[in-house]
Amino acid sequence: GSVTQTQINNIEIINMPSNRNTDKSGTTKRKNESKQVETEDAKRKKVNQNYDELTIPQLKEECINHGIDILKFKKKNDYIQSLQDSVGSQSPKEGSKDEMKVERGKEESDEDEKERRTKEMKEKDLSLLHGLSGKYSKDGLKIPAVGFGTYKLKEPAKLLGPLSVSISQGIELIDTASVYGNEKLIGNSLKGKKTLPIVQTKLWRSHTGDYSVVSKHAATSLRALGLKGNTEARIVYLMHWPGSGFNMFKKTISPKDWVPSFRITSWDAMLRLAKEEEVSAVGVCNFSVRQLKEIELGKLRKDWEEGDEDREVPERRPCLNQIEMNPLIYCIQKDLVEYCNKRGIVVQAYCPFGSGSLLKEPLIVSIATKHSKTPAQVLLRWSVQKGFACLFGTSNKKRAEENWKGTWGWELPEEDMNKLDQMGEKRRDSGENV
């Protein structure tokens, strides 16, 4: 029995200390775990408190620094929740309360400085005007860097709201054309205004010809706009296309007797309109380098003589060439842009959003996210910084205001400008259509 007892005792002696150690370490472990949980909770509460104390612009910056997409965020809690999920227990602002106060004071001071710089930059941006050079630019007419385009906006419900918002926000140029079918609607909306914006309209390609033809169609447009005979109006008249019209159903050109020399005859007529001050300035749309040279020289390329290639006739030069322009096609328009810049011809960009396709382009979306801007604002800003006058159109009042306000008071850094400049080249090198 004693052996058994000894064995039992031995077991007890051997095992009991082990059991006691297990209980003690288990208790210690649970205490440590509890402390750890409490520490994590405390940290989390501290993080929550710190994020709650940040302003929305500060939260935006914090999110961007952590690579968080903020485009869909609407409320402050959206930013805070995403930061908590992304960062966890890392506090964006560590240190004592006094240190945080000093830091917040510095941030507020930085915000004031940033606001001041933004205001100065915006004022500078809005003073960016493009002079329409040449003998027939009435009173040295200058056009703004951004105007409102009205292509496809011929229904009152789609046009009048955005147009009114754009003018009230400060847009000083409205672009239309006889073929858009909205000249009368625009004219009615401008009635009674003390200060009229600059109005651009265009001679449709089916209406090209000599002075009698061109002046008749110009007068029709000006009457529809309510600007015929208005000596205070600032009117830019553009030749819409260098070629003829084409009837897709009849498969015939218009005018029926059109020949390439019509573009020169029509240009002569438009120069006369400007000289007689029926309009303030004249220009063209969609003209190539060769076609610009032809109307400046007053003869087709086939009739050029030796030395004509380099000869200049500034008094016949168009003030403006309105062309399709955005980062995707910039690479194929470079030579035309360079030629216009050398000749003092303003490049005015239409389709800055690529008919809407560029608003979803990954590169543009990522740049927009980085700068807390919309893709449209990035594309307009790119155009402004490239030195183009540009046009945007929308049937949405909110977007009209958003596009205008978001273009000014900030800059795309050189790195982003280069990426956008090269976008079309990379697409072309990959074999995709540009």
Side-chain angles (χ1 to χ4, degrees), residues 316-363:
R316 289 185 54 86
R317 190 174 295 158
C319 304
L320 178 151
N321 188 18
Q322 187 185 113
I323 59 175
E324 184 175 1
M325 178 60 69
N326 55 59
L328 191 58
I329 62 171
Y330 173 65
C331 63
I332 61 177
Q333 298 278 45
K334 276 186 178 180
D335 290 343
L336 178 56
V337 169
E338 183 180 351
Y339 177 84
C340 289
N341 289 341
K342 285 182 178 178
R343 295 295 193 278
I345 300 171
V346 173
V347 174
Q348 189 176 63
Y350 69 83
C351 282
F353 309 147
S355 298
S357 61
L358 293 181
L359 299 177
K360 296 180 181 178
E361 186 71 29
L363 172 62

Side-chain angles (χ1 to χ4, degrees), residues 14-292:
I14 293 170
N15 291 340
M16 285 301 290
S18 174
N19 287 340
R20 282 195 298 270
N21 287 339
T22 302
D23 289 344
K24 184 176 180 181
S25 63
T27 303
T28 303
K29 185 178 179 182
R30 283 193 296 273
K31 285 181 180 179
N32 289 337
E33 288 174 349
S34 177
K35 285 181 180 179
Q36 188 175 356
V37 169
E38 288 173 4
T39 303
E40 292 298 325
D41 287 342
K43 283 184 179 180
R44 193 171 292 107
K45 286 177 182 178
K46 182 180 178 183
V47 171
N48 293 349
Q49 182 181 2
N50 288 337
Y51 283 137
D52 285 337
E53 291 173 354
L54 298 183
T55 64
I56 288 182
Q58 291 167 344
L59 287 167
K60 281 184 179 180
E61 185 176 354
E62 196 72 31
C63 285
I64 291 169
N65 289 339
H66 287 90
I68 299 171
D69 186 352
I70 63 173
L71 283 182
K72 296 182 180 179
F73 294 171
K74 296 180 179 179
K75 299 178 181 179
K76 186 174 181 178
N77 285 341
D78 295 336
Y79 297 95
I80 294 174
Q81 185 61 52
S82 292
L83 281 167
Q84 291 169 350
D85 294 342
S86 174
V87 184
S89 63
Q90 297 176 7
S91 172
K93 306 288 178 187
E94 294 183 352
S96 67
K97 289 184 179 180
D98 289 340
E99 288 173 338
M100 289 180 68
K101 285 180 181 178
V102 170
E103 185 66 24
R104 283 201 302 273
K106 182 177 180 298
E107 286 173 355
E108 288 170 3
S109 177
D110 290 345
E111 284 294 319
D112 291 341
E113 177 63 17
K114 183 179 179 181
E115 187 177 342
R116 184 188 64 78
R117 289 199 305 269
T118 298
K119 184 178 179 181
E120 287 179 354
M121 194 182 297
K122 182 177 179 181
E123 289 172 353
K124 181 181 176 182
D125 284 340
L126 293 175
S127 67
L128 177 61
L129 301 172
H130 297 273
L132 300 186
S133 62
K135 183 177 177 181
Y136 300 111
S137 295
K138 182 181 177 183
D139 300 327
L141 180 66
K142 291 179 171 58
I143 62 170
V146 177
F148 186 76
T150 63
Y151 177 55
K152 290 187 177 180
L153 302 178
K154 60 181 180 180
E155 297 173 15
K158 292 183 177 181
L159 172 64
L160 296 182
L163 179 62
S164 177
V165 167
S166 297
I167 293 174
S168 68
Q169 290 296 316
I171 285 185
E172 295 183 2
L173 185 143
I174 308 300
D175 179 84
T176 181
S178 60
V179 76
Y180 294 174
N182 57 17
E183 288 175 320
K184 190 171 184 179
L185 199 59
I186 291 171
N188 289 337
S189 71
L190 297 178
K191 284 181 179 178
K193 293 194 179 297
K194 293 181 180 179
T195 303
L196 291 172
I198 298 168
V199 177
Q200 283 183 177
T201 191
K202 308 178 189 76
L203 176 75
W204 184 234
R205 51 188 175 184
S206 298
H207 302 157
T208 54
D210 61 19
Y211 181 77
S212 64
V213 175
V214 172
S215 61
K216 179 183 76 173
H217 289 291
T220 299
S221 286
L222 296 182
R223 277 193 292 268
L225 288 162
L227 302 177
K228 177 67 174 170
N230 186 337
T231 57
E232 300 298 319
R234 296 169 295 169
I235 304 159
V236 181
Y237 198 48
L238 308 177
M239 194 187 308
H240 208 144
W241 287 92
S244 66
F246 183 75
N247 189 312
M248 295 183 65
F249 299 101
K250 296 181 180 180
K251 306 296 182 185
T252 57
I253 62 171
S254 178
K256 292 181 180 179
D257 57 344
W258 187 91
V259 289
S261 61
F262 265 47
R263 79 173 63 103
I264 295 173
T265 305
S266 300
W267 183 242
D268 290 341
M270 292 181 69
L271 288 172
R272 181 175 167 184
L273 285 175
K275 187 175 183 179
E276 295 176 353
E277 298 191 354
E278 291 292 325
V279 297
S280 308
V282 288
V284 296
C285 306
N286 307 299
F287 270 55
S288 68
V289 170
R290 175 180 62 82
Q291 291 159 347
L292 288 170

Side-chain angles (χ1 to χ4, degrees), residues 1-16:
S2 60
V3 174
T4 304
Q5 186 64 43
T6 302
Q7 290 174 338
I8 293 172
N9 288 340
N10 283 338
I11 291 172
E12 287 178 352
I13 292 168
I14 293 170
N15 291 340
M16 285 301 290

